[in-house]
Amino acid sequence: MICKRGSVIFCGILLFISWNAILVILLWGRLPSSKQNAPSRELRPANDVLGDILQVVDTIEVELEKQNQILIQIQKHPLVWEPSNRNKPKGIAPSQPVIPILVIACNRIMVKRCLDKLLQHRPSAELHPIIVSQDCGHAETSEVIRSYGSQVTHLKQPDLSDIAVRPEHKKFQGYYKISRHYHWALNQVFKTLSHSSVVIVEDDLEVAPDFFEYFRALLPLLKSDTSLWCVSAWNDNGRDGFVDPGKASLLYRTDFFPGLGWMLLKELWEELEPKWPASFWDDWMRQPEQRRNRACIRPEISRTLTFGRQGVSMGQFYDKYLRYIKLNTEFVPFTKLDLGYLNEETYRENFKKEVYSAQVVTYEDIRQGLLKGPGPFCLIYSSKDSFKMLAKNLGIMDDLKSGVPRTGYRGVVSFFSRGRRIYLAPPPGWTQYDHTWS
């Protein structure tokens, strides 16, 4: 019979006492019997009897010491005293970082779709706690979140008051409240709950099957490479037909802050929090004063999909671009891949070589289907106006923020067109963005 840990002491002591009781009885039986030795008892000297007794006592002491040593070995035996790995509660290995998911919610009951997908694909509740921060005080949305019970942590932004804004910004009241909510929620994650990193999603995002794998694999790079300041799951030009379906594992550096499912570290929040803007926080992030020449990682194929047409932006870009974004369906084991190619110096040199050694083509070549070979191909733009014209005609997003095009890296926008890789690029020798381009 195998003793449980709680009864090992009792079993050991019982065995110890039983064994020694038997030992004493056996040894005591070696003493001369009063009946058997009666005839000779008077003939033996008293000191001989005493010697026998002392000899028996010495033997008992030796045996007792042996049994004591056995008991000590029982106490030290790891299989007895240490709990079996099979019986240990499933905890977090010391080397496994905790990356919480912060869901920004307001008044959309469709947050259920977002949470259902997060819970469906989440590999570990311990490694990826889900924190839902709700603004707006919307009762129906609150009830949906509450229905998940202990699967999520439900926080409620306490300040629901209107924000004093300039008269011309009255129609932007929603953007001010969103910025206030982000500020409060990130303080809860980093200051109150003391996490060291977080992935932010909004309540209208659906995540891909390898969403968690993607961020786990890139956290070490984000921590070690000071030229990075975020990891995003989003490709602004990631519509079906504009991405390479055979390159689900392909990742890029980008100078444009993508958002829409992104990871940051506590250190970055400590930098941004004192100057956090009153409104339009995402465009503020794209200003050179905040970006400071740092890049983000983004995928070829998005790991998030937005399904929220209605919101404070009134569906801006949704009908033309966002609704067609391709969501990755193939699980890529990013944590087992070598992602060293994303390190700054290696990536920069390889990317420049790839772009500017590609065959140079014109827009007419692309439009008329005159491209020969598999590519890649390079299409040069020379000004803000030429970039916007080419981007619009090619079907990719044509807006710029502080001179940086969406998905751009060193001014280059990479996308797929009719099954071929196209680089929309500035002339060779590019050095910096013109921040007046907007």
Side-chain angles (χ1 to χ4, degrees), residues 381-398:
Y381 67 88
S382 57
S383 66
K384 169 187 170 182
D385 290 339
S386 68
F387 170 82
K388 293 181 76 69
M389 179 195 67
L390 289 170
K392 184 176 181 179
N393 289 335
L394 290 165
I396 62 175
M397 298 189 77
D398 64 348

Side-chain angles (χ1 to χ4, degrees), residues 79-280:
L79 294 179
V80 175
W81 294 99
E82 292 299 323
S84 168
N85 288 333
R86 292 172 298 178
N87 297 326
K88 286 182 180 179
K90 293 183 179 180
I92 301 169
S95 61
Q96 294 293 304
V98 174
I99 308 176
I101 310 300
L102 173 63
V103 180
I104 299 293
C106 181
N107 57 0
R108 291 183 176 125
I109 60 173
M110 66 178 69
V111 68
K112 176 175 173 56
R113 178 175 169 182
C114 172
L115 293 176
D116 284 347
K117 286 297 182 180
L118 284 170
L119 291 169
Q120 176 185 341
H121 299 311
R122 180 172 67 170
S124 165
E126 291 80 15
L127 295 178
H128 297 287
I130 296 174
I131 303 164
V132 185
S133 181
Q134 185 190 0
D135 200 2
C136 309
H138 190 248
E140 289 82 0
T141 302
S142 182
E143 180 60 25
V144 170
I145 299 167
R146 188 198 63 79
S147 70
Y148 287 88
S150 61
Q151 295 182 92
V152 306
T153 298
H154 186 189
L155 306 179
K156 294 185 178 182
Q157 200 281 112
D159 186 0
L160 304 181
S161 64
D162 284 340
I163 300 173
V165 299
R166 303 194 306 270
E168 62 270 25
H169 274 206
K170 187 175 181 180
K171 62 181 178 180
F172 300 131
Q173 177 77 210
Y175 289 101
Y176 281 82
K177 290 185 176 181
I178 288 173
S179 191
R180 177 177 66 185
H181 185 194
Y182 265 82
H183 184 271
W184 182 85
L186 285 168
N187 272 338
Q188 295 303 304
V189 170
F190 290 126
K191 294 185 177 181
T192 303
L193 299 176
S194 300
H195 289 293
S196 59
S197 65
V198 70
V199 175
I200 305 171
V201 299
E202 296 193 358
D203 54 4
D204 61 347
L205 290 182
E206 178 180 329
V207 303
D210 57 357
F211 173 86
F212 293 93
E213 173 80 359
Y214 172 74
F215 284 108
R216 292 203 69 78
L218 288 164
L219 179 61
L221 182 62
L222 182 61
K223 287 183 173 181
S224 63
D225 189 342
T226 57
S227 69
L228 292 174
W229 70 323
C230 86
V231 175
S232 173
W234 182 257
N235 175 0
D236 275 299
N237 289 312
R239 289 187 294 160
D240 201 5
F242 286 76
V243 294
D244 186 343
K247 295 289 183 67
S249 64
L250 181 59
L251 307 179
Y252 297 82
R253 293 175 73 101
T254 176
D255 299 321
F256 190 88
F257 171 72
L260 293 173
W262 60 288
M263 178 168 61
L264 73 156
L265 302 178
K266 182 178 182 179
E267 291 79 3
L268 179 63
W269 180 242
E270 290 174 344
E271 172 192 325
L272 299 177
E273 191 268 340
K275 56 178 182 176
W276 190 251
S279 64
F280 306 105

Side-chain angles (χ1 to χ4, degrees), residues 359-405:
Q359 180 184 345
V360 177
V361 295
T362 66
Y363 169 69
E364 288 301 315
D365 294 332
I366 299 174
R367 187 179 69 83
Q368 296 178 22
L370 301 178
L371 303 183
K372 304 297 182 182
F377 300 95
C378 183
L379 177 60
I380 302 294
Y381 67 88
S382 57
S383 66
K384 169 187 170 182
D385 290 339
S386 68
F387 170 82
K388 293 181 76 69
M389 179 195 67
L390 289 170
K392 184 176 181 179
N393 289 335
L394 290 165
I396 62 175
M397 298 189 77
D398 64 348
D399 62 319
L400 303 115
K401 303 293 183 181
S402 299
V404 185

